[in-house]
Amino acid sequence: MAQRYEDIPTSVILRAQVGEPAAVSELVLLLSERAFSLAYRMCGDPEEAKDICQEMLMHVVKNAARYDPARPFLPWFYRVASNVCLNWLVSPQHRARAKSLDQGSSQHPGFQPASMARGPATDAMARDMRDVVHQIVHLLPEEYRAVIVLHYFEGVPYPDLGEILGLPLGTVKVRLFRGRELLREKLEALGFDKP
Amino acid sequence: MNCQEFEHGLEDSPDSSLSPETGRECEEHAATCAKCAERLAWHRGLHHALLNAPRVGIPAELPVESGKSVIEAARRYRSARERMLVGALGIALLGLSAAFFFFGLAEIARDEATAFVSSTGEAVDHVETESGSILDSVWGSIASGIDTFCLMCAPSTDESASVYFALTLALVLLAAAAAAIYLGVRKVGGSRA
């Protein structure tokens, strides 16, 4: 289920902005799940997602003073977090890791082919698109992956998506549509002939 | 609505949440076109599957690990920023005290230059009176050049050198006191953490 898109209490943010350790801890605790979920959906590797998650949270805490408390916090958080994530995905560190994983196994660890390669006539659980679709999202190109993950998994509404990714609403809609199209192609390739 | 318009409608939102009117038109078109009906079913199915996908379980140790490392990183970052600010203030204070120190030196130099020029002038007068030779005229020109140079170098101020030196000393003491307080505060903060 998509996370509820509820904002973080302003009092916590204001105290974290001045570096109060208890407030920073609370903020980290409140954001950890969102940050890890975003990182994992974007990279598909739980171990790498931990590193990305920490990097995201560090960026948020370091730059907390730049946040304007008069505006909602979550769009600001997701903007910082998605920038960190997208930068990470083009970094040599990520490429080297992805290359070594590719050499180690034919599939990415986040991608679980065993549950999906059974074909249309087998296990009814594996036939449930919900169980499969979230595991193949990280295989989408980054521009489509980001909008799909933020909108469907993190529950970010359309207008905030545009603000977070710096895109007009029309582009957001087109990317969501094309992302779904690419997912459909991948699902069809895995034997899902009908939704 | 034709198939091309249907595609645009599908881009808007598959569950018609953004535009109910377009959604209704898409459904009407899909009822008459098998290909578009299949596409609509796919997009709606995917839309709901994505919305209802299972949540990612967060590793139990992550919030604790992240909390510790983030707080430590934030502390280091603030500490580095504080050091930079204190360093800049220290450099500014020392620069100001150095300026006052050189003003003091210049004040002394001005007094000495005035004394030197008057003694040189007396010597030149004496030489000119005694011999009046060409060599003596050259010496006189050099002496008056030194006279002008010394007066240009020394600032024309009425403040005494001692005032400048007192200001220098005060600023150095202020910088030392600020550094001592800063180090003391950091030590107390470090022992609390």
Side-chain angles (χ1 to χ4, degrees), chain A residues 1-3 19 25 29 33 36 40-41 50 54 61 130 152-153 173-174 177 180-181 184 188 192 195, chain B residues 7 11-12 14 18 39 41-43 46-47 50-56 59 61-62 69-71 74 78:
Chain A
M1 292 284 285
Q3 296 199 50
S25 291
L29 201 65
E33 192 176 348
F36 181 78
Y40 176 65
R41 305 286 197 188
K50 279 189 198 174
Q54 292 212 346
V61 172
R130 284 180 305 177
Y152 286 115
F153 299 144
K173 286 180 190 172
V174 168
F177 172 76
R180 284 194 304 268
E181 283 283 287
R184 181 177 66 87
E188 281 179 338
F192 284 87
Chain B
E7 283 290 305
E11 276 180 17
D12 243 20
L18 286 182
R39 285 183 61 67
W42 257 111
H43 275 268
L46 264 171
H47 179 77
L50 285 164
L51 280 177
N52 296 306
R55 289 175 80 154
V56 171
E61 75 283 4
L62 188 69
S69 55
V70 167
I71 289 167
R78 275 201 310 278

Side-chain angles (χ1 to χ4, degrees), chain A residues 74-160:
Chain A
L74 279 184
W76 181 83
F77 161 72
Y78 278 120
R79 189 165 60 241
V80 174
S82 53
N83 280 339
V84 168
C85 206
L86 290 170
N87 286 337
W88 184 287
L89 293 176
V90 295
S91 68
Q93 191 181 355
H94 170 74
R95 287 180 196 280
R97 188 179 168 85
K99 197 176 171 185
S100 69
L101 286 171
D102 282 347
Q103 285 168 352
S105 74
S106 59
Q107 295 292 353
H108 204 275
F111 185 77
Q112 296 166 6
S115 64
M116 287 180 272
R118 290 171 185 158
T122 54
D123 194 347
M125 289 295 285
R127 296 273 305 138
D128 191 339
M129 199 191 285
R130 284 180 305 177
D131 292 339
V132 178
V133 75
H134 80 107
Q135 294 178 20
I136 59 170
V137 164
H138 74 272
L139 301 173
L140 291 174
E142 282 146 22
E143 65 265 35
Y144 304 123
R145 203 187 319 168
V147 285
I148 292 272
V149 168
L150 286 169
H151 182 60
Y152 286 115
F153 299 144
E154 303 303 317
V156 178
Y158 280 95
D160 286 0

